[in-house]
Amino acid sequence: LLSFTFLSPVAYITGTYAQWSSRILASQFTYISDAQGCATQALGNVRTVRSHCATDIELQAYGGHMQKAQQIGVKSAWGQGGAAFLSGILEQGASFLVLFYGGQLVLNHQFQ
């Protein structure tokens, strides 16, 4: 019974994080895809880029997309850390309660 009490919140936290993470990772991959598209276009038109001295412009476009992807990745990492922290606290709390209650029964000679 005690395991179900602590397992339900852990499952809820994991499910909520999974839904949130799938949305945010989709946008991260979109930014990475946009950056790769910029790089592919710049390489495909390398003569035009070079002749118009637009190398810095192309690098800024690529860097901007990758910067956005990195920001989303950091947000995702904080979310994963928070979900793992909450799940760990709940699991450790359940272990503590079981061991504490069992220890009290043994020390007070109330077990059978």
Side-chain angles (χ1 to χ4, degrees):
L1 185 62
L2 183 64
S3 65
F4 289 118
T5 304
F6 286 96
L7 187 59
S8 298
V10 170
Y12 176 76
I13 290 169
T14 303
T16 303
Y17 168 71
Q19 290 174 353
W20 176 79
S21 177
S22 66
R23 285 192 314 267
I24 200 165
L25 287 178
S27 64
Q28 182 183 19
F29 289 133
T30 300
Y31 284 123
I32 292 172
S33 171
D34 291 345
Q36 293 302 318
C38 286
T40 302
Q41 286 179 359
L43 289 174
N45 301 320
V46 70
R47 289 183 183 163
T48 306
V49 171
R50 291 274 184 170
S51 66
H52 289 74
C53 299
T55 306
D56 292 335
I57 295 170
E58 294 296 334
L59 285 174
Q60 287 176 354
Y62 180 80
H65 290 299
M66 291 306 289
Q67 183 71 26
K68 290 176 185 176
Q70 182 185 15
Q71 290 171 352
I72 291 173
V74 168
K75 184 190 276 189
S76 176
W78 277 103
Q80 182 180 9
F85 175 74
L86 290 175
S87 295
I89 289 293
L90 287 171
E91 291 170 5
Q92 294 296 326
S95 297
F96 173 77
L97 288 176
V98 167
L99 293 173
F100 179 77
Y101 180 69
Q104 289 297 319
L105 289 177
V106 168
L107 290 175
N108 294 332
H109 302 289
Q110 294 176 350
F111 65 93
Q112 294 186 18

